[in-house]
């Protein structure tokens, strides 16, 4: 019954977050990157001495992934971030914002939750359960969280959080990833797109902790940190004018805007219709004969009420003409229609 009550709290906690359907969570499963981040080998007298690195940073979480930070953007990663704490202090954990980076379209943050009383707790991700294998978020154990906690006399605590002021920043999708530094220290990576045009942002980041015997939402321990984050990148914005559609369907694209920064290239598509159900297909984008490897996309209602979607590609120069191909989501091989857009 206690576990059922906790599962209900987990679900209520997810649903209580605005845009909860667009919060994506995952574990840091890149073991090669994890090993490189957490262990450093220093040669001493012909032997190797291993020392734990203090934490995981943005480069550790994004290395060898589609979110890898280009070298040109590394200079803009902010560290030693000054934060203001909101809410009452708690006896369980401290929270620190370790690193942050943003451009005109994206926010990336790593923050750390660490226990005040060491060697007492086992921190696991907010959506994890005691029977999950710890190899999903650690590089030092392949036991279940329950078995590991029992063997080491630790109390399991679910750790979570994310960006709190998502409406203010115009955030529609938030991605979270978790990695344990040690039993009672958890690093959390947050990445999200934003619609805010401000270059100086006020970001509020909330950490949560919940014991397995919690009986209500009131038992969730919360701490919010606020900090300033400045976009120091250089944005180059280009507009592409759509031509007439060709094929079996009309693709109602009204405008295409391409924004390029040191962090990435973003293709924003705005539709001329206001009925989301009428866009029942997906798009692939071609630059000449080359199909772009895109992330994101889809259709969402933007803050101004228009329908649109943002496609992200690795930082690159695009040609003067882009081609958008509509295809059935269940049959990617069949093109339903095309429309080209030419740079203005």
């Amino acid at each position: 019954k206690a576990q059922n009550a906790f599962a209900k709290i987990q679900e209520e906690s997810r649903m209580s977050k605005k845009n909860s359907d667009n919060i994506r969570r995952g574990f840091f499963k890149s073991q090669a990157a994890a090993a490189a981040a957490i262990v450093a080998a220093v040669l001493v007298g012909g032997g190797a001495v291993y020392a734990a690195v203090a934490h995981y940073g943005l480069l550790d979480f994004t290395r060898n992934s589609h979110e890898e930070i280009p070298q040109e953007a590394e200079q803009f990663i902010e560290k030693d971030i000054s934060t203001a704490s909101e809410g009452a202090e708690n006896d369980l954990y401290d929270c620190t914002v370790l690193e942050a980076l943003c451009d005109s379209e994206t926010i990336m943050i790593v923050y750390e939750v660490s226990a005040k009383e060491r060697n007492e707790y086992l921190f696991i991700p907010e959506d994890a359960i005691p029977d999950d294998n710890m190899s999903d978020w650690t590089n030092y154990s392949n036991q279940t969280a329950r078995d590991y906690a029992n063997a080491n006399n630790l109390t399991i605590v679910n750790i979570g959080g994310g960006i709190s002021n998502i409406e203010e920043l115009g955030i529609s999708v938030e991605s979270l990833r978790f990695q344990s530094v040690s039993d009672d220290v958890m690093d959390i990576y947050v990445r999200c797109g934003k619609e805010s045009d401000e270059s100086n942002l006020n970001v509020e980041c909330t950490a949560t902790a919940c014991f397995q015997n919690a009986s209500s939402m009131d038992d969730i321990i919360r701490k919010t940190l606020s900090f300033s984050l400045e976009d120091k990148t250089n944005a180059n914005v280009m507009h592409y004018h759509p031509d007439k559609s060709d094929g079996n369907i009309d693709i109602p694209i009204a405008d295409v805007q391409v924004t390029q920064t040191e962090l990435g290239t973003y293709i924003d598509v705005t539709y001329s219709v206001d009925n989301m159900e009428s866009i029942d297909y997906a798009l692939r984008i071609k630059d000449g004969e080359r199909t772009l490897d895109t992330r994101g996309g889809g259709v969402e209602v933007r803050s101004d009420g228009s329908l649109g979607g943002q496609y992200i590609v690795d930082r690159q120069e695009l040609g003067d003409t882009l081609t958008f191909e509509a295809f059935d989501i269940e049959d990617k091989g069949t093109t339903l229609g095309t429309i080209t857009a030419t740079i203005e």
Side-chain angles (χ1 to χ4, degrees), residues 80 294 310:
D80 301 320
T294 61
Q310 184 180 79

Side-chain angles (χ1 to χ4, degrees), residues 273-293:
V273 296
D274 56 11
N275 180 13
M276 186 178 297
E277 294 180 356
S278 66
I279 307 175
D280 58 352
Y281 47 80
L283 292 178
R284 52 178 162 249
I285 307 174
K286 287 188 173 182
D287 180 10
E289 297 299 318
R290 180 172 61 100
T291 300
L292 299 179
D293 183 10

Side-chain angles (χ1 to χ4, degrees), residues 53-223:
V53 174
H55 62 261
Y56 291 85
L58 288 172
L59 297 181
D60 301 314
F61 274 105
T62 60
R63 185 180 291 115
N64 298 325
S65 76
H66 64 268
E67 297 178 356
E68 187 163 8
I69 297 173
Q71 187 174 358
E72 298 89 340
E74 291 182 13
Q75 61 182 311
F76 302 117
I77 296 175
E78 296 193 19
K79 303 179 181 182
D80 301 320
I81 298 169
S82 176
T83 61
S85 178
E86 300 177 12
E89 287 295 321
N90 67 80
D91 296 328
L92 177 61
Y93 67 86
D94 288 315
C95 184
T96 306
V97 178
L98 300 177
E99 295 183 358
L101 171 66
C102 76
D103 63 4
S104 61
E105 310 296 316
T106 300
I107 298 173
M108 306 170 75
I109 300 169
V110 173
Y111 66 100
E112 185 169 272
V113 180
S114 57
K116 291 183 176 180
E117 294 291 334
R118 307 307 301 271
N119 305 315
E120 297 285 339
Y121 305 103
L122 177 62
F123 286 177
I124 69 175
E126 62 180 346
D127 278 1
I129 61 174
D131 291 329
D132 284 340
N133 196 302
M134 287 179 58
S135 62
D136 283 341
W137 64 86
T138 78
N139 70 326
Y140 59 83
S141 175
N142 60 4
Q143 292 178 276
T144 67
R146 187 191 310 278
D147 289 344
Y148 185 91
N150 289 339
N152 293 279
N153 196 29
L154 301 173
T155 300
I156 294 177
V157 182
N158 286 78
I159 299 296
I163 295 177
S164 310
N165 57 333
I166 58 176
E167 290 186 344
E168 175 186 335
L169 298 173
I171 295 172
S172 58
V173 176
E174 182 180 48
S175 175
L176 304 178
R177 295 170 70 191
F178 300 82
Q179 178 67 25
S180 290
V181 175
S182 62
D183 293 345
D184 49 15
V185 179
M186 179 73 76
D187 285 353
I188 304 174
Y189 165 68
V190 183
R191 180 185 174 115
C192 57
K194 68 179 182 69
E195 288 189 41
S196 173
D197 294 328
E198 299 293 329
S199 59
N200 289 286
L201 306 175
N202 174 61
V203 181
E204 296 177 2
C205 200
T206 297
T208 63
C210 189
F211 288 95
Q212 292 285 303
N213 61 359
S215 60
S216 73
M217 291 281 287
D218 293 336
D219 293 327
I220 297 177
I221 303 170
R222 295 179 173 85
K223 184 173 184 177

Side-chain angles (χ1 to χ4, degrees), residues 240 243-244 246 251 253 256 267 269 283-292 294 318-326 335 337-342:
Y240 286 70
D243 300 319
K244 187 177 180 181
D246 183 30
I251 306 175
I253 295 178
V256 177
I267 304 172
V269 175
L283 292 178
R284 52 178 162 249
I285 307 174
K286 287 188 173 182
D287 180 10
E289 297 299 318
R290 180 172 61 100
T291 300
L292 299 179
T294 61
L318 298 179
D320 292 342
T321 301
L322 299 176
T323 301
F324 297 83
E325 294 182 348
T335 299
T338 63
I339 186 171
T340 60
T342 306

